[in-house]
Amino acid sequence: MRRIMECFADEGINEITCMCSAQSAKTLTILVLMCWAIAEDPGPILWVTSSEKEGKKLSKSRLMPLLERCAPVAAKLPQNKSQKMTLEIYFPGAPLVIVGCEAEAGLQSTPYRYVFCDEARQYPPGALEMLSKRFRSYPHNYKKVIISTPDMEGDTLHRSFLAGSQEKWFVTCPKCGDEHELLWGDKLSHGGVKWDKNDETFDSERNTYRYDELDKTVRYCCWNEACDHVWRDVTADRKYLSTNGRWVAQNPNAPSNSVSFNWN
């Protein structure tokens, strides 16, 4: 996620939206961004979760262990228990507050320089718009990060993605040299994720796959119809797909201070 981290550190970028798949390091990404803000460029921080209950769970299971293990941040952790609570941590110059999206008062109150919105698709209508008012005291150097799995086309999350640069991950085939977006594909497409359905992989009597056999056939195919290159689900090929590519913006009309990303 180096590109996202570079955008966060860029003084000219204020808004980052990531619309992506489940279990793809979403929360970890913004946790790392928050640690950087506390250590390198402190300011008031608001972290918004789907509920206060989820906020407490996040703080105890993931947030506090990370803050304590990140040396530059740990050095700033307050020792007084009244300044280091589950949902409020008062770092020097960077008070951190965690609220649930249902807490309307928490979304309307204190101005913040940094706002992190985790799993924004679960927010009630109007919550994201309300958060935009929290930056009035920081008109030029605020950071709003929205990261979530998608929900409905045209909802607030989707509109925020469309308003940004709409960057998608493209890879180059080492065999034919064609560059294409990393897509799942379907039965009719030459490229994408493929697997074999045959007597070895499928039990027709029970109408179910033999998954251990099926796993041996899974591959990702180049989208060039004249190319037969495939990537397998092995460490070397995974590393190639994740490191030998680039983010390509799809929206040339996006404002320079707003970037957005999509990965599957």
Side-chain angles (χ1 to χ4, degrees):
M1 301 304 171
R2 184 177 64 183
R3 166 71 176 146
I4 298 173
M5 296 176 186
E6 290 172 345
C7 289
F8 189 77
D10 189 330
E11 295 180 355
I13 295 176
N14 302 112
E15 302 189 5
I16 301 172
T17 302
C18 301
M19 189 174 67
C20 44
S21 61
Q23 299 300 313
S24 59
K26 298 188 306 301
T27 300
L28 178 61
T29 298
I30 52 178
L31 282 170
V32 171
L33 298 182
M34 186 191 65
C35 285
W36 183 91
I38 294 170
E40 301 294 336
D41 196 9
I45 302 170
L46 179 67
W47 184 292
V48 186
T49 67
S50 57
S51 67
E52 182 176 311
K53 180 180 178 181
E54 283 300 312
K56 291 179 179 179
K57 179 181 176 181
L58 171 76
S59 179
K60 293 178 179 179
S61 65
R62 301 186 66 178
L63 176 60
M64 284 305 301
L66 178 62
L67 298 179
E68 291 169 350
R69 292 173 184 171
C70 179
V73 175
K76 296 186 176 184
L77 267 173
Q79 300 304 309
N80 191 323
K81 289 185 178 181
S82 65
Q83 294 184 313
K84 187 174 67 173
M85 297 169 282
T86 302
L87 298 178
E88 296 180 11
I89 304 175
Y90 292 91
F91 289 97
L96 166 63
V97 177
I98 303 172
V99 300
C101 62
E102 78 279 11
E104 188 170 320
L107 303 183
Q108 290 179 333
S109 56
T110 309
Y112 294 91
R113 181 181 171 193
Y114 297 101
V115 173
F116 296 97
C117 304
D118 192 15
E119 285 299 354
R121 70 181 181 86
Q122 300 177 6
Y123 295 3
L128 279 176
E129 291 85 351
M130 194 181 303
L131 286 168
S132 297
K133 301 176 182 179
R134 299 300 96 227
F135 307 116
R136 289 174 178 172
S137 298
Y138 305 91
H140 303 297
N141 63 347
Y142 75 91
K143 299 286 183 181
K144 178 173 71 173
V145 181
I146 303 172
I147 194 163
S148 178
T149 50
D151 191 9
M152 299 298 292
E153 184 176 1
D155 63 10
T156 306
L157 170 65
H158 188 221
R159 293 198 303 272
S160 181
F161 169 76
L162 293 178
S165 56
Q166 300 178 31
E167 299 185 26
K168 298 184 177 183
W169 187 250
F170 279 64
V171 296
T172 299
C173 176
K175 185 172 183 178
C176 69
D178 275 13
E179 184 181 54
H180 63 267
E181 182 184 350
L182 195 64
L183 293 172
W184 181 269
D186 56 34
K187 291 182 179 180
L188 300 179
S189 60
H190 178 78
V193 179
K194 306 292 181 182
W195 59 89
D196 295 338
K197 184 177 180 180
N198 53 40
D199 291 341
E200 295 295 324
T201 64
F202 188 76
D203 186 336
S204 56
E205 291 184 3
R206 294 180 173 80
N207 196 33
T208 183
Y209 280 102
R210 299 184 178 96
Y211 290 104
D212 286 343
E213 295 301 319
L214 179 71
D215 184 58
K216 299 174 184 177
T217 73
V218 176
R219 68 273 187 192
Y220 182 81
C221 301
C222 175
W223 282 78
N224 182 353
E225 294 188 3
C227 181
D228 60 359
H229 184 73
V230 299
W231 290 268
R232 298 288 179 177
D233 188 14
V234 295
T235 301
D237 285 358
R238 280 178 170 268
K239 284 185 176 180
Y240 181 92
L241 289 169
S242 63
T243 58
N244 289 271
R246 65 189 182 103
W247 291 102
V248 179
Q250 310 294 304
N251 182 14
N253 299 318
S256 59
N257 73 329
S258 178
V259 296
S260 57
F261 301 89
N262 171 237
W263 63 87
N264 57 40

